[in-house]
Short mmCIF file of all heavy atoms in Angstrom, two decimals:
data_model
loop_
_atom_site.label_atom_id
_atom_site.label_comp_id
_atom_site.label_asym_id
_atom_site.label_seq_id
_atom_site.Cartn_x
_atom_site.Cartn_y
_atom_site.Cartn_z
N VAL M 858 100.54 92.95 112.23
CA VAL M 858 99.50 92.97 111.20
C VAL M 858 99.69 91.74 110.31
O VAL M 858 100.56 90.90 110.58
CB VAL M 858 99.57 94.27 110.37
CG1 VAL M 858 99.31 95.49 111.24
CG2 VAL M 858 100.89 94.40 109.62
N HIS M 859 98.88 91.64 109.29
CA HIS M 859 99.05 90.56 108.32
C HIS M 859 99.64 91.13 107.03
O HIS M 859 99.20 92.18 106.56
CB HIS M 859 97.71 89.91 107.97
CG HIS M 859 97.24 88.92 109.00
ND1 HIS M 859 96.09 88.19 108.84
CD2 HIS M 859 97.78 88.58 110.20
CE1 HIS M 859 95.96 87.40 109.92
NE2 HIS M 859 96.94 87.63 110.75
N TYR M 860 100.59 90.42 106.50
CA TYR M 860 101.12 90.72 105.17
C TYR M 860 100.64 89.60 104.25
O TYR M 860 100.66 88.43 104.63
CB TYR M 860 102.66 90.75 105.21
CG TYR M 860 103.27 90.90 103.84
CD1 TYR M 860 103.39 92.15 103.25
CD2 TYR M 860 103.73 89.79 103.14
CE1 TYR M 860 103.93 92.29 101.98
CE2 TYR M 860 104.28 89.91 101.88
CZ TYR M 860 104.38 91.17 101.30
OH TYR M 860 104.92 91.30 100.05
N VAL M 861 100.21 89.97 103.05
CA VAL M 861 99.72 88.96 102.12
C VAL M 861 100.81 88.62 101.13
O VAL M 861 101.27 89.47 100.37
CB VAL M 861 98.47 89.49 101.37
CG1 VAL M 861 97.91 88.41 100.45
CG2 VAL M 861 97.41 89.95 102.37
N VAL M 873 98.82 83.90 100.87
CA VAL M 873 98.40 83.64 102.25
C VAL M 873 98.78 84.81 103.16
O VAL M 873 99.64 85.62 102.83
CB VAL M 873 99.04 82.35 102.82
CG1 VAL M 873 98.52 81.12 102.12
CG2 VAL M 873 100.55 82.42 102.75
N CYS M 874 98.13 84.86 104.32
CA CYS M 874 98.44 85.87 105.32
C CYS M 874 99.64 85.43 106.14
O CYS M 874 99.70 84.28 106.57
CB CYS M 874 97.27 86.05 106.29
SG CYS M 874 95.82 86.78 105.56
N ARG M 875 100.58 86.35 106.32
CA ARG M 875 101.73 86.10 107.20
C ARG M 875 101.72 87.16 108.29
O ARG M 875 101.30 88.30 108.05
CB ARG M 875 103.04 86.21 106.43
CG ARG M 875 103.21 85.22 105.30
CD ARG M 875 103.29 83.82 105.81
NE ARG M 875 103.68 82.89 104.75
CZ ARG M 875 103.36 81.60 104.77
NH1 ARG M 875 102.65 81.10 105.78
NH2 ARG M 875 103.76 80.81 103.80
N HIS M 933 92.49 89.44 99.71
CA HIS M 933 93.44 90.55 99.75
C HIS M 933 94.43 90.43 98.60
O HIS M 933 94.80 89.34 98.19
CB HIS M 933 94.22 90.53 101.06
CG HIS M 933 93.38 90.77 102.27
ND1 HIS M 933 93.01 92.02 102.68
CD2 HIS M 933 92.82 89.91 103.15
CE1 HIS M 933 92.27 91.93 103.77
NE2 HIS M 933 92.13 90.67 104.08
N HIS M 939 97.07 94.20 106.13
CA HIS M 939 95.76 94.50 106.71
C HIS M 939 95.78 94.12 108.18
O HIS M 939 96.65 93.39 108.63
CB HIS M 939 94.64 93.76 105.97
CG HIS M 939 94.85 92.26 105.92
ND1 HIS M 939 95.52 91.66 104.89
CD2 HIS M 939 94.47 91.27 106.76
CE1 HIS M 939 95.54 90.35 105.11
NE2 HIS M 939 94.93 90.09 106.24
N TRP M 940 94.82 94.64 108.91
CA TRP M 940 94.68 94.25 110.31
C TRP M 940 94.25 92.80 110.36
O TRP M 940 93.45 92.36 109.52
CB TRP M 940 93.66 95.15 111.01
CG TRP M 940 94.09 96.58 111.08
CD1 TRP M 940 93.57 97.61 110.37
CD2 TRP M 940 95.16 97.12 111.87
NE1 TRP M 940 94.26 98.77 110.68
CE2 TRP M 940 95.22 98.49 111.59
CE3 TRP M 940 96.07 96.57 112.79
CZ2 TRP M 940 96.16 99.34 112.21
CZ3 TRP M 940 96.99 97.42 113.39
CH2 TRP M 940 97.03 98.77 113.11
N PRO M 941 94.77 92.03 111.33
CA PRO M 941 94.42 90.61 111.39
C PRO M 941 92.90 90.41 111.49
O PRO M 941 92.22 91.15 112.19
CB PRO M 941 95.12 90.12 112.67
CG PRO M 941 96.25 91.08 112.86
CD PRO M 941 95.77 92.40 112.35
N GLU M 942 92.42 89.43 110.75
CA GLU M 942 91.00 89.09 110.79
C GLU M 942 90.64 88.58 112.18
O GLU M 942 91.44 87.93 112.83
CB GLU M 942 90.69 87.98 109.78
CG GLU M 942 90.89 88.36 108.32
CD GLU M 942 92.33 88.21 107.86
OE1 GLU M 942 93.20 87.87 108.69
OE2 GLU M 942 92.57 88.44 106.67
ZN1 ZN H 171 94.90 88.20 107.13
#
Side-chain angles (χ1 to χ4, degrees):
V858 298
H859 281 183
Y860 174 82
V861 183
V873 293
C874 292
R875 298 295 190 205
H933 295 278
H939 56 269
W940 296 108
E942 295 84 356

